[in-house]
Amino acid sequence: MKKTLLAAALCGAFTMSAHAQSSVTLYGLLDTSLVYTNNQLGHSNWQLSSGTTQNTVFGLKGSEDLGAGLHAVFKLEQGFLMNNGAQAFAGSAFGSQAWVGLQSDPYGTLTFGRQFDVMNDAVGPLTAGFNTWGGSIAAHPFENDNLAANSVVVNNSVKYASPVYHGVTFETMYSFSNKAGDFANNRSYGFSLAYAEGPLNLAAGYLQFNNAGNGSGAVTTGDTSANFIAERQRVWSLGGNYTFGAATVGLVWSHTQIDNVAGVFSFGTGTYLGAAGDATGTLGGSLRLDNYEVNAKYALTPALSVSGAYTFTHGAYNGSSPAWNSAMLQTDYALSKRTDFYLEGVYQNAHGAPADSVLSHAMINTLSPSSTSTQVAVTVGMRHAF
C-alpha cells in the first residue's frame, strides 16, 4: 500500500511539473464597425463591416519547455467575419496562421508553416495601417507593399528570427512553391532588420514574390493572399518612429516594383480587378510605386487618444505617372485594456493614371473601388480582445 501511494505521489508530481512547463492559450480579437462611403462603384453606401482596422481572429498558441533554454512553440489562428460568421480565408481551418517550431533562448526561433512575412513583422508595426490606431482601412494604395495589418499570409514557409542583441533583431524566410520541376514558380523570400532601444524604433526589409497567384504555392488567389497577380513583385521598405512623452511620430518609405502585372485584388468586391477588363478598367505591364508616410499618435488621457497619417504614393505605369494622396484621422476611447471604441475617417485621391486603368479609381483598402478618382470613408466601431 505504501509503495502504491508513493508511486501515485511521484506520478502526480511529474504530471504537475509537466503542466507547469507547458502552456496553451486561447486568444482572439473582435473588430466590427459601421462604415459610410461616399462612392463605391458609383453609389454611396452604409455597411456593417468586420476587420475594418484589425483582422477579426481567434486562435491557439502554446509553448513547451524542453529544457536547456529550448522550447517547442506553435500557433493556430483563423480569421472570420463578424457580420456573418464566414471564414476570412474560405476553405481553410486556420487560414490566418498555422505553424510549429523551436525557440532557443540563445540562438533564436525557427518556425515552419503558414506565416506572416518577415518584412511585415519588422516594418509593419511602424505604419498606421498595421496598428489599431489606423488599421487596414489606412493601408497604402492597393496594399502594394504588404505593410498593413497582416493581410498577406505565406504558405510553405521556413522562418528564422534571431534573439535580441543590444536592441537588434534579424529575420529571414523562404517559402517553397512545392511544385515538382517548377521550383521557382510561386515562391517567396525576404529578410528584415529591426532596432528598438528606449523611445527609438527603426526597421528595414526586403520581400519578393515570384508568380504570386499562379495556382498553388507560396501566395495564392484562392485564399486572397495575393494582392497582385504578377510575374514578380519586389518590395523594399524602411521606417522609424520616436516616442516623447504621450506622443509618437513616425516616418516610413517603401518601394514596390511589380513586373507583368495582370490584376489587383479588391477586398471590397472580393475579386481581382483588371485581369480580364471590368468596370474599373484594365491592368497590365509594369508598375512602380513609392510610398512616403508620416504618422503620429497622441494620448490625451490614458483612455483617449488621437492619431493621424498622410501617405503620398508616386507611381510609374506604362509611360504614365499615377499618384495618390491618402489621409487618415482617428480618435479612440478605451473602456478597459481589452475593449475600445473608435471613430475614423479616410480620404484617398488618385490622379495621373490612364483613364481606362484600374489605377485611375480611388480604392480605400477593405472597400469596393470608387467610380471616380476620389473616395471618402467614415467608420465607427468597437474592438474587444481576449
Side-chain angles (χ1 to χ4, degrees):
M1 176 64 73
K2 291 183 178 180
K3 291 182 179 180
T4 302
L5 291 174
L6 178 59
L10 288 173
C11 287
F14 283 126
T15 301
M16 292 175 62
S17 176
H19 282 299
Q21 294 173 1
S22 302
S23 66
V24 176
T25 302
L26 172 68
Y27 68 94
L29 176 65
L30 311 177
D31 178 2
T32 187
S33 61
L34 186 64
V35 184
Y36 168 77
T37 313
N38 73 321
N39 187 321
Q40 289 191 51
L41 302 175
H43 304 278
S44 62
N45 192 22
W46 288 92
Q47 62 191 102
L48 184 67
S49 182
S50 176
T52 303
T53 64
Q54 296 287 292
N55 294 344
T56 294
V57 299
F58 71 91
L60 296 168
K61 59 183 177 180
S63 174
E64 180 187 12
D65 189 347
L66 301 176
L70 188 65
H71 310 265
V73 292
F74 77 90
K75 181 174 283 190
L76 301 172
E77 183 179 286
Q78 173 63 305
F80 64 99
L81 306 179
M82 285 290 293
N83 53 312
N84 60 14
Q87 294 176 326
F89 300 92
S92 298
F94 295 101
S96 291
Q97 296 185 74
W99 53 259
V100 66
L102 291 173
Q103 176 185 330
S104 168
D105 294 341
Y107 300 114
T109 303
L110 187 64
T111 51
F112 309 85
R114 179 172 167 86
Q115 308 175 70
F116 299 122
D117 71 77
V118 294
M119 194 178 72
N120 188 268
D121 288 347
V123 186
L126 302 175
T127 69
F130 184 95
N131 289 281
T132 57
W133 48 267
S136 302
I137 197 171
H140 300 158
F142 311 107
E143 232 289 77
N144 68 84
D145 49 12
N146 192 29
L147 293 179
N150 304 326
S151 66
V152 176
V153 196
V154 188
N155 297 321
N156 314 324
S157 295
V158 180
K159 180 195 290 189
Y160 168 75
S162 75
V164 180
Y165 294 109
H166 302 288
V168 176
T169 54
F170 170 76
E171 289 191 27
T172 187
M173 71 179 293
Y174 187 91
S175 304
F176 293 86
S177 69
N178 279 7
K179 297 180 179 180
D182 210 0
F183 185 81
N185 190 357
N186 198 349
R187 65 174 176 175
S188 176
Y189 52 88
F191 60 86
S192 64
L193 187 68
Y195 172 81
E197 194 68 37
L200 179 64
N201 293 276
L202 302 171
Y206 173 77
L207 178 66
Q208 179 165 327
F209 297 121
N210 289 356
N211 288 316
N214 186 358
S216 61
V219 182
T220 71
T221 56
D223 63 12
T224 69
S225 282
N227 283 334
F228 290 90
I229 301 174
E231 179 182 342
R232 181 173 63 176
Q233 181 179 354
R234 292 172 288 173
V235 185
W236 293 260
S237 63
L238 177 67
N241 65 27
Y242 190 85
T243 300
F244 46 96
T248 299
V249 177
L251 295 171
V252 177
W253 165 81
S254 66
H255 174 74
T256 302
Q257 294 186 198
I258 308 172
D259 303 326
N260 292 329
V261 58
V264 59
F265 184 71
S266 165
F267 287 90
T269 63
T271 61
Y272 284 86
L273 304 179
D278 48 52
T280 59
T282 61
L283 190 61
S286 63
L287 176 62
R288 306 289 185 268
L289 297 166
D290 283 282
N291 305 279
Y292 305 90
E293 176 185 329
V294 56
N295 58 62
K297 178 187 177 185
Y298 185 78
L300 298 169
T301 71
L304 180 64
S305 66
V306 294
S307 57
Y310 168 75
T311 300
F312 174 70
T313 302
H314 179 265
Y317 174 69
N318 295 346
S320 67
S321 299
W324 292 260
N325 295 287
S326 306
M328 176 279 298
L329 186 64
Q330 184 198 97
T331 182
D332 181 90
Y333 184 77
L335 296 178
S336 68
K337 291 183 178 181
R338 297 191 297 146
T339 302
D340 66 303
F341 289 90
Y342 59 86
L343 173 65
E344 181 169 346
V346 178
Y347 165 87
Q348 187 181 105
N349 171 262
H351 56 277
D356 63 348
S357 166
V358 171
L359 307 179
S360 65
H361 297 260
M363 188 168 73
I364 294 173
N365 196 41
T366 75
L367 303 176
S368 299
S370 172
S371 63
T372 70
S373 61
T374 299
Q375 191 171 53
V376 178
V378 178
T379 178
V380 57
M382 174 183 177
R383 284 183 295 248
H384 176 73
F386 61 91

